Structures are given as structure tokens and as C-alpha cells.
Amino acid sequence: MTTQRLPSSLTPYDQALATLLHGLQPVPPMELSLEEALGCIAAEMPAVSPCPAFDVAAADGWAVGTNDVIGASSYSPLPQVRPPVWVNVGDAMPDGCDCVLDADAVETSGPIAEIVAEGAPGRGVRRAGSDLAGGPPPIVPGIPIGSLDFLVARAAGLGKLQVRRPRLRIVNLPGGDATARLIADYARSTGASVTNIEARARDTGSVARMLDIGDCDLLITIGGSGVGRNDATISALAGRGEVLVHGVALQPGRTAAIARVGAVPALALPGSPDQALAAWLTLAVPALDHLCGRERSSPVTRPLARKIASSVGLAEIALLEQREGAWLPLAVGHLSLEAIVRAEAWLLVPAWSEGFAAGTPVDAHLWRE
């Protein structure tokens, strides 16, 4: 078997990312039940009716019309032939009533009910449309669906929600199970639907047989992207489609590759957890954002607690920990498992930069959003 080789020069990170994102469009929306939609990325929602649909009681008490009780007080009780209607929270307000009086505002001990307190328009009443005005519900497209969105959906009578849920197929090579599980867990946390399979062996034929694109919007391979004697992922991708980039000026993650299998983009990640994680954050996550229309959270700007030194020519991942209002660098370019576990944020140092001096404000992406 011919050993894979990296090109003589690595592809700049920005160029590699642009190649992966070229032509990517958001996947069509789909309907999921509320339970299935949790964590998925919201799409545009259909219009809903105003909620509540009519005025309802927001407090337990007596429903009255404010104009009918003007001047009522304990010194000047207002007798009623029939007592007002008692309402509980959530009950529809009777016609002509725009106020709920407290229980002790109506005396019912005698033969005739007496109102002994005035009311104010809207007191104790939730107006029609005050929770939801009608039209599209306030579930923001491009944002992960959470429990509060369920509250809105149930109030609007929605049993299903519109989401964008990219289908991700992960092909793992033998020996890379831990990395594949890590990437699969991260993918699910972004709202993707994940199919995780393992090739029977590390040879070209075994890998190529797993590169099925019939049920995916993004194909990910784990392992076999390097130049080892048992590495054959790039050869397999070339046999099934077209390899567009092999070797990215990214540290860690330089043996990552970008390909197309039919119309489906493919990203080959290295098998080492730190290498795969770096390529996942910088390449795969932006691709998934495009596919599901996700709005990324704004980076968090803090000064550096100490300098970051970086090599010109390579974009490098720096892992950061918050320390007294500043970002403390834990690792740059070479990411230990301890640094990965401790890190609260990450930063991509551009290839043209030699790093940042201590005290420089930098924009970092939170590790766990």
C-alpha cells in the first residue's frame, strides 16, 4: 500500500475554512415534538394566535366592571341585587367585567351583597394577547431550543416545533473510539443528528465502504488522515470523491483534510483527541453553524494574564482559564488532556501573529456554551 503524503505546503486555515463552507446552505426545516426538539436549532416558526385568547383572571376574587363600583367603600357600601361573579386564576372574565376585587371587597354575610371597595381597570386581569401578541412566537431562529421555549410553545398550543437538524455521519477508524465518542457528543450538543459507525479495518477499501452519503449533510472521518503506514482515509476519500485540501496550517490539527463526496462536504479529522478537537472547533463547528443557521454566541473579551507566544505561519489554538477577570493561557498549540479539561475558553491565534503580550484584550470563545 502506498503511504499517504502531505503536500509540500500546508493550506492556510482561512482558505481551508472557506473551501469547506463554499456552497453550504442551511438544511430545510423539519418538525419535531417538543421533547425531540430540545437542544436543536430553531427555524422560523408559523404564526400563532394571541395568548391568552381572551381576558382572563390573574387573581382569585370578584369580577366587576370598574364603572359599576365607583365610590364604593366601607363607609359607603354599594348594595347588589345579585353578588358579582367569583373567578379563579385563569378563568375567562365575564362580559362587562374588567377588574377583579379581593375576596374581602364584597360583603355577603347579609341578605344583600355589598361592595365595599373600588376597582381599577385591568386590576387582577391578564389581557387578551398580553403573553403572546399573535404572529410568529418569540422563539428566535438560529438559537438552540431550551426549556423556556417549551413554555412559550405550550402556551401557544404548539405540540411540535420547526428546527434545522443537520445529519452528521461519523466514520471512525479502529483505535479511535475515544476520539469518535468525544466528537459525537459535541455534535449532538450542537443539535445535529449523529450516526456513528466504525470501519472494519484501516485499509482504503474498508474505509471507502463506510463513506455513504445517503443519509447525511456532513461527513466526518476520525483517524487515518496522517502519513502513517496504516493511514488510508485520504486515499479512501479520493476514491469516492474529490480531496480539496489535505494539510491545514493549524496547530494542532495540521493533518486534517477537506473533501467532497458527491454533493456532501467531508472533513477528515486526525485520530488524536487534541488534534481532532482543534479541527472540530475551527472547521466542523462553522460548517454545522451554516447547515443549521445557528447564531454563534459573541466571544468574551478579557485581558491576558500572561503573554501568548505563537509561531508565524500556523494558526494555533490556545486554551484559556478565567483568573481574576483575565484569561490565563493554559496551553498553546499542544493541548494536554489536563488543559482541555481545565479550559473555560479557547482562542485562535492567527497565522500572521507572533502572539499577544500580557494585558492584551483578546476575544475568546467559551468552551461550554
Side-chain angles (χ1 to χ4, degrees), residues 110-274:
I112 297 178
E114 294 180 324
I115 297 177
V116 295
E118 289 187 309
R123 176 185 173 187
V125 177
R126 179 170 285 117
R127 295 294 193 185
S130 60
D131 283 332
L132 297 174
I139 300 176
V140 182
I143 302 297
I145 290 173
S147 299
L148 291 180
D149 295 316
F150 288 177
L151 178 63
V152 170
R154 291 184 175 112
L158 298 176
K160 295 184 177 182
L161 294 176
Q162 293 280 335
V163 303
R164 285 191 169 88
R165 193 181 191 188
R167 300 166 300 169
L168 180 62
R169 182 179 178 88
I170 297 177
V171 178
N172 174 38
L173 272 63
D177 184 63
T179 301
R181 289 177 180 271
L182 173 69
I183 297 302
D185 289 342
Y186 270 111
R188 291 188 182 96
S189 73
T190 67
S193 172
V194 178
T195 300
N196 196 354
I197 59 174
E198 182 172 306
R200 295 184 62 182
R202 297 180 65 91
D203 61 90
T204 301
S206 298
V207 177
R209 281 190 287 274
M210 298 294 103
L211 302 180
D212 183 5
I213 60 170
D215 61 349
C216 73
D217 302 297
L218 178 64
L219 179 64
I220 300 281
T221 64
I222 307 290
S225 66
V227 296
R229 293 182 177 181
N230 294 323
D231 289 340
T233 297
I234 308 306
S235 300
L237 285 168
R240 291 294 304 273
E242 180 184 7
V243 176
L244 304 174
V245 171
H246 183 208
V248 181
L250 176 69
Q251 181 63 30
R254 70 187 187 97
T255 66
I258 297 164
R260 294 268 171 175
V261 179
V264 174
L267 176 61
L269 303 182
S272 174
D274 63 322

Side-chain angles (χ1 to χ4, degrees), residues 12-21 24 218 220 245 248 250 253 256-258 267-270 276-289 346:
Y13 162 72
D14 290 342
Q15 181 180 333
L17 178 60
T19 299
L20 179 61
L21 299 183
L24 278 190
L218 178 64
I220 300 281
V245 171
V248 181
L250 176 69
I258 297 164
L267 176 61
L269 303 182
L277 194 55
W280 168 262
L281 292 171
T282 56
L283 294 169
V285 169
L288 283 174
D289 288 345
W346 63 276

Side-chain angles (χ1 to χ4, degrees), residues 36-106:
E36 292 176 306
L38 183 64
C40 293
I41 306 304
E44 293 74 15
M45 301 292 168
V48 296
S49 300
C51 178
F54 38 75
D55 291 356
V56 298
D60 301 331
W62 301 100
V64 299
T66 52
N67 289 336
D68 299 330
V69 296
I70 293 174
S73 70
S74 58
Y75 299 103
S76 179
L78 186 64
Q80 302 287 297
V81 176
R82 286 179 296 183
V85 176
W86 178 268
V87 290
N88 296 314
V89 173
D91 287 347
M93 291 293 291
D95 291 340
C97 296
D98 62 353
C99 173
V100 177
L101 299 179
D102 294 338
D104 57 5
V106 178

